[in-house]
Amino acid sequence: MSQTEKRAGLLRRTSSSKKPLKEKVVLMYEDIFAKEEPTKSNPRFWDELFLMKVNLEYLEGKLESLDGDEVLRVKDNINSLFQHCVQALAEEHQIKVVNALQTLCALFRGVHQKNRSATGFDIINMLMGFDKAELRMKELMESLDALLCGDGSQSLKSLCLKLLLCLVTVTDNISQNTILEYVMINSIFEAILQILSDVSSRAQHGYDAVVLLALLVNYRKYESVNPYIVKLSIVDDEPTLDGMGRVIHHALAEYNRQYKEKEEENQGGFFSTLTSMVGSMFIADADEKLSVQTNEAILLALYEAVHLNRNFITVLAQSHPEIDIATTPAVPVPASPLTPLGTTPPSLDMMNNPELPLDPNLQTSNLLITFLKYSSIVMQDTKDEHRLNSARLCLIILTCIAEDQYADAFLHDDNMNFRVNLHRMPMRHRKKAADKSNPSRPLVCAVLDLMVEFIVTHMMKEFPMDLYVRCVQIIHKLICYQKKCRVRMHYTWRELWSALINLLKFLLSNETILLSKHNIFQLALQVVNLFNMFITYGDTFLPTPSSYDELYYEIIRMHQVFDNLYCMVLRVSTNAGQWKEPASKVTHALVNVRAIINHFNPKIESYAAVNHISQLSEDQVLEVVRTNYDTLTLKLQDGLDQFERYSEQPREAGFFKELVRSISLNVRKNVSLSTMSQDVLLKEFSSIS
């Protein structure tokens, strides 16, 4: 059957001379779109309609094709169809419930597609009649709540969630979807929590439930009181929070596994490399983009949980065995064949096994480790806006975590050591990541590694200034905690210092290009103040006195970078212009760094001259440093251990509005009820009936 015939609901021709027959359900739809009330000619019309297999394509297409006059003419019949769909949800006959749910989805989508420029009130009026809207939506939400919380079919529950996702995403901007006001009034929050807290239902529906909750939380979140935000912020039920964490964890873990598989495929030897190289000439960089495309919906859910609910922080640290999701076959999910890597729910069996036997040789993991690995993949490539925004969201989540006292406590806990193998960007001047084996360490080391990795690998012409600022802020917040609690971390601080100095060097080398787009002095000030933190308070959190000596060694060794920075900011701050004030702040911040350089350099030169050494070794320089601390004078700088706490509104509001729009479009594209095989559903419920 051709696509045109299928859309029109035509059956195959019985012979070349006869016209194609129409499905009975299509004839019934035509009665609805006629002016007359369909029950006039058939009193049992509505009973019969919901026993018919829904033709989604025809119904949606017909709604989209109506012009203004036709809409007014058939509005009463559309209202009646909506009313009878809602009534059918209470039927004991399961096939009627299935068909009613699918018909409602077609109604929501079809009416919105046709009336993209119409107001929300016009759409409500067309669907259910404005005077009856409150009652109809109350009945609909109560029925969906009952179906989701009841002991009925899992397929039916899945269909309810698909309908809700369809309803939430019918408009590009969910905050312009006026129908959602009724979803706010008639909350299904408790139904979502019940799904997440129950092991069996979470395995079947957890992914859709988490995505639905993340979207509902973002409905008009800046304009009015959103009950889903209020309720999510006070959830303290451990099984529920743990269930939400498990859904997010397994979605991220599945993405990580797929990425690792793809990475291993691409490392299959010379022939594979040659094939990939030649292939890429013709398919551009499609594979590359596929390998790094993120699941933003699940990432948004993680952000909202971390940002809104202090109790969720405990879920991040809950340990469990790290298992290979590949060992269980994935259950087919309703997703487009072209669905990007990582955007489909993980294997149901994985989410259905909260307790697994512990193997002493099995590496322990938790949600935070999985998220850090995920971030290390996402943050590798930020060359287009989509991936840039994904990396930005990862850094915002890490910012919220770094500010939380409880999170900081377990990040720095010496009794909670993990081996975290982050993905590292391939670079010519260093060995592959596989060559570097990470020891078990407190999780803060992995966070710092991730920040250092980003700093080192993104110094490029299209400089992601915003991401760099966030990276340095995260490092600063972690060091503030270490200073405050006198936590001495055995970390390779030299790698961090080296990365920060190279960043300053990059800013200096590209001053003209970068200043045309960014305030580089803001970032330079943050980096210099990190060094000031180490200089002023390093004795309270660096692991050993020799670490403090090494800090001075690095500053002295790379003094040319600091000298050049001082010359540049002095030049800018002494000239009138827009950068005068920010540059002068950097000038003042450099006072102690310059004092160290000016104090020790003459001592080192004198030592070399006295001992007739042309080039001092590191040990010799350190010896000079240790013997000349007493005569060094430094200034006490205020506010180094203070920081501005993260606030979504107003600074991040624009970012989240665009992000939610993007997620909504992607969910709408992937949530297609037609991909849930109607034949399978009807067969299931026919056998029940």
Side-chain angles (χ1 to χ4, degrees):
M1 190 186 296
S2 72
Q3 192 65 26
T4 307
E5 288 178 342
K6 186 180 177 185
R7 190 176 179 86
L10 304 178
L11 302 175
R12 292 186 187 278
R13 292 179 174 86
T14 51
S15 71
S16 57
S17 60
K18 293 182 180 179
K19 290 183 179 180
L21 300 172
K22 289 185 179 180
E23 295 176 54
K24 184 176 180 182
V25 73
V26 170
L27 294 171
M28 297 185 83
Y29 290 154
E30 288 180 350
D31 287 342
I32 293 170
F33 292 108
K35 191 175 180 181
E36 293 294 318
E37 161 64 42
T39 53
K40 283 187 178 179
S41 56
N42 179 4
R44 291 183 49 78
F45 179 86
W46 298 113
D47 284 331
E48 292 175 9
L49 177 67
F50 293 112
L51 290 170
M52 301 281 135
K53 179 180 172 182
V54 179
N55 188 324
L56 288 164
E57 280 190 275
Y58 178 84
L59 187 54
E60 282 184 49
K62 186 67 178 177
L63 287 163
E64 287 175 36
S65 68
L66 296 176
D67 61 29
D69 291 338
E70 287 176 311
V71 168
L72 290 174
R73 183 167 55 83
V74 299
K75 185 185 88 67
D76 288 345
N77 283 358
I78 293 173
N79 291 173
S80 189
L81 173 59
F82 190 96
Q83 177 190 349
H84 284 91
C85 281
V86 173
Q87 289 174 353
L89 296 182
E91 290 269 2
E92 289 185 12
H93 202 306
Q94 299 288 280
I95 286 179
K96 287 188 176 183
V97 180
V98 170
N99 289 328
L101 287 167
Q102 295 195 50
T103 304
L104 281 167
C105 188
L107 277 171
F108 284 128
R109 284 202 299 229
V111 169
H112 276 89
Q113 279 293 115
K114 172 65 184 174
N115 299 276
R116 289 205 170 276
S117 59
T119 67
F121 299 109
D122 289 337
I123 286 171
I124 289 169
N125 195 38
M126 190 190 307
L127 273 172
M128 55 197 103
F130 202 70
D131 56 331
K132 298 283 177 60
E134 195 171 329
L135 175 62
R136 295 283 175 265
M137 285 303 297
K138 183 175 184 291
E139 292 170 344
L140 172 60
M141 297 307 294
E142 285 176 351
S143 294
L144 292 176
D145 187 81
L147 289 168
L148 288 171
C149 295
D151 297 326
S153 157
Q154 297 299 331
S155 299
L156 215 52
K157 291 184 180 184
S158 181
L159 214 49
C160 289
L161 287 167
K162 298 295 183 209
L163 173 61
L164 286 163
L165 284 170
C166 169
L167 170 57
V168 171
T169 60
V170 284
T171 56
D172 293 351
N173 180 349
I174 67 168
S175 292
Q176 292 176 353
N177 185 353
T178 313
I179 295 177
L180 292 188
E181 285 296 330
Y182 300 110
V183 183
M184 296 294 117
I185 297 166
N186 304 285
S187 174
I188 50 155
F189 183 81
E190 285 70 23
I192 293 172
L193 293 197
Q194 185 171 316
I195 288 168
L196 296 176
S197 62
D198 179 75
V199 174
S200 175
S201 65
R202 180 172 71 237
Q204 296 283 333
H205 318 297
Y207 185 87
D208 283 346
V210 162
V211 172
L212 176 62
L213 180 58
L215 290 169
L216 288 172
V217 161
N218 280 275
Y219 174 72
R220 295 186 180 172
K221 69 190 314 189
Y222 308 120
E223 295 128 53
S224 59
V225 177
N226 180 322
Y228 290 85
I229 292 178
V230 176
K231 290 180 178 182
L232 178 58
S233 67
I234 59 174
V235 174
D236 59 1
D237 179 62
E238 193 175 327
T240 302
L241 293 172
D242 180 60
M244 187 174 187
R246 285 184 179 278
V247 172
I248 295 169
H249 173 268
H250 291 306
L252 298 181
E254 173 67 7
Y255 177 90
N256 293 349
R257 184 191 65 78
Q258 288 180 32
Y259 179 85
K260 188 177 178 183
E261 270 186 7
K262 187 170 182 61
E263 199 174 40
E264 288 169 355
E265 281 173 21
N266 292 341
Q267 293 170 356
F270 172 76
F271 182 75
S272 172
T273 306
L274 183 65
T275 307
S276 300
M277 190 169 65
V278 174
S280 68
M281 296 176 191
F282 302 100
I283 61 169
D285 58 347
D287 283 345
E288 179 197 359
K289 288 186 178 180
L290 181 72
S291 68
V292 294
Q293 187 165 352
T294 180
N295 184 342
E296 290 172 322
I298 214 75
L299 210 56
L300 178 67
L302 175 59
Y303 164 75
E304 296 296 356
V306 169
H307 179 231
L308 294 174
N309 192 302
R310 288 291 310 279
N311 300 311
F312 189 80
I313 293 293
T314 61
V315 174
L316 294 174
Q318 285 176 4
S319 298
H320 47 80
E322 187 172 61
I323 34 186
D324 186 358
I325 300 178
T327 56
T328 52
V331 176
V333 292
S336 159
L338 300 175
T339 299
L341 179 65
T343 57
T344 55
S347 160
L348 300 185
D349 289 345
M350 274 295 303
M351 295 165 62
N352 204 17
N353 286 286
E355 300 299 332
L356 292 152
L358 277 171
D359 182 336
N361 299 315
L362 206 57
Q363 167 71 5
T364 308
S365 184
N366 57 39
L367 174 53
L368 182 57
I369 291 172
T370 303
F371 169 65
L372 290 173
K373 290 180 180 178
Y374 180 85
S375 299
S376 71
I377 298 169
V378 168
M379 289 164 60
Q380 284 184 27
D381 188 352
T382 58
K383 286 176 185 169
D384 68 32
E385 192 176 356
H386 174 80
R387 284 172 275 183
L388 187 73
N389 287 339
S390 299
R392 186 177 180 182
L393 184 52
C394 286
L395 289 172
I396 289 174
I397 293 168
L398 282 171
T399 300
C400 295
I401 292 170
E403 283 184 8
D404 187 274
Q405 287 280 67
Y406 180 81
D408 282 329
F410 74 70
L411 281 175
H412 292 84
D413 190 341
D414 249 339
N415 297 313
M416 292 176 64
N417 292 331
F418 299 91
R419 185 177 291 110
V420 184
N421 293 312
L422 300 175
H423 293 265
R424 303 173 82 217
M425 189 184 289
M427 297 181 81
R428 290 177 185 175
H429 65 276
R430 68 179 182 186
K431 292 180 180 179
K432 290 180 182 178
D435 298 340
K436 185 177 178 181
S437 180
N438 289 322
S440 288
R441 303 172 296 171
L443 282 173
V444 69
C445 297
V447 179
L448 290 170
D449 283 348
L450 183 62
M451 298 301 99
V452 170
E453 174 69 9
F454 182 85
I455 291 169
V456 168
T457 55
H458 288 77
M459 295 181 224
M460 53 196 178
K461 286 182 180 177
E462 290 299 318
F463 188 68
M465 174 64 78
D466 176 71
L467 302 190
Y468 268 93
V469 168
R470 293 177 193 277
C471 264
V472 177
Q473 285 174 341
I474 290 166
I475 296 167
H476 179 236
K477 287 168 182 179
L478 293 172
I479 292 173
C480 285
Y481 175 82
Q482 292 169 21
K483 178 256 175 185
K484 177 185 173 184
C485 298
R486 294 182 173 266
V487 179
R488 297 188 182 276
M489 290 307 308
H490 288 273
Y491 181 70
T492 50
W493 292 110
R494 281 183 112 161
E495 288 187 10
L496 172 61
W497 299 331
S498 175
L500 293 172
I501 291 170
N502 283 328
L503 175 55
L504 290 177
K505 192 175 178 181
F506 175 82
L507 295 179
L508 288 166
S509 302
N510 297 275
E511 174 195 347
T512 308
I513 297 169
L514 293 174
L515 266 180
S516 64
K517 300 177 182 178
H518 309 290
N519 175 6
I520 63 172
F521 302 105
Q522 177 196 7
L523 181 57
L525 179 64
Q526 288 181 325
V527 172
V528 171
N529 277 338
L530 270 184
F531 279 102
N532 285 329
M533 277 285 290
F534 283 103
I535 292 165
T536 309
Y537 303 115
D539 60 327
T540 65
F541 62 83
L542 287 173
T544 61
S546 63
S547 302
Y548 197 71
D549 302 337
E550 287 168 5
L551 167 67
Y552 278 58
Y553 175 80
E554 284 299 313
I555 292 171
I556 295 162
R557 186 176 71 88
M558 300 300 290
H559 72 90
Q560 196 63 56
V561 175
F562 292 106
D563 291 343
N564 292 344
L565 176 62
Y566 181 74
C567 291
M568 188 265 275
V569 293
L570 189 64
R571 165 172 50 83
V572 175
S573 64
T574 51
N575 294 322
Q578 69 178 113
W579 306 120
K580 180 181 174 69
E581 188 180 340
S584 66
K585 288 181 180 178
V586 182
T587 309
H588 296 309
L590 280 165
V591 62
N592 281 342
V593 173
R594 296 191 70 245
I596 291 168
I597 293 167
N598 293 335
H599 176 74
F600 286 105
N601 267 354
K603 310 282 185 191
I604 292 167
E605 289 167 9
S606 173
Y607 181 91
V610 169
N611 293 281
H612 307 289
I613 304 170
S614 59
Q615 191 170 355
L616 271 64
S617 68
E618 180 177 333
D619 288 338
Q620 288 168 328
V621 173
L622 287 170
E623 181 58 34
V624 174
V625 169
R626 290 189 192 103
T627 55
N628 287 280
Y629 274 133
D630 292 346
T631 51
L632 173 65
T633 304
L634 297 174
K635 288 187 177 179
L636 186 62
Q637 294 174 303
D638 294 328
L640 292 175
D641 57 345
Q642 304 296 314
F643 57 81
E644 183 183 352
R645 293 189 67 82
Y646 171 78
S647 175
E648 183 181 318
Q649 172 76 339
R651 189 174 297 172
E652 311 292 351
F655 167 71
F656 278 102
K657 281 180 180 176
E658 287 306 310
L659 180 72
V660 172
R661 179 190 292 268
S662 169
I663 291 169
S664 181
L665 288 169
N666 194 47
V667 171
R668 184 200 309 165
K669 186 170 64 177
N670 289 326
V671 175
S672 171
L673 289 182
S674 59
T675 58
M676 291 193 68
S677 171
Q678 289 176 298
D679 292 330
V680 172
L681 282 167
L682 294 175
K683 185 178 179 181
E684 176 186 341
F685 294 116
S686 296
S687 61
I688 294 172
S689 304

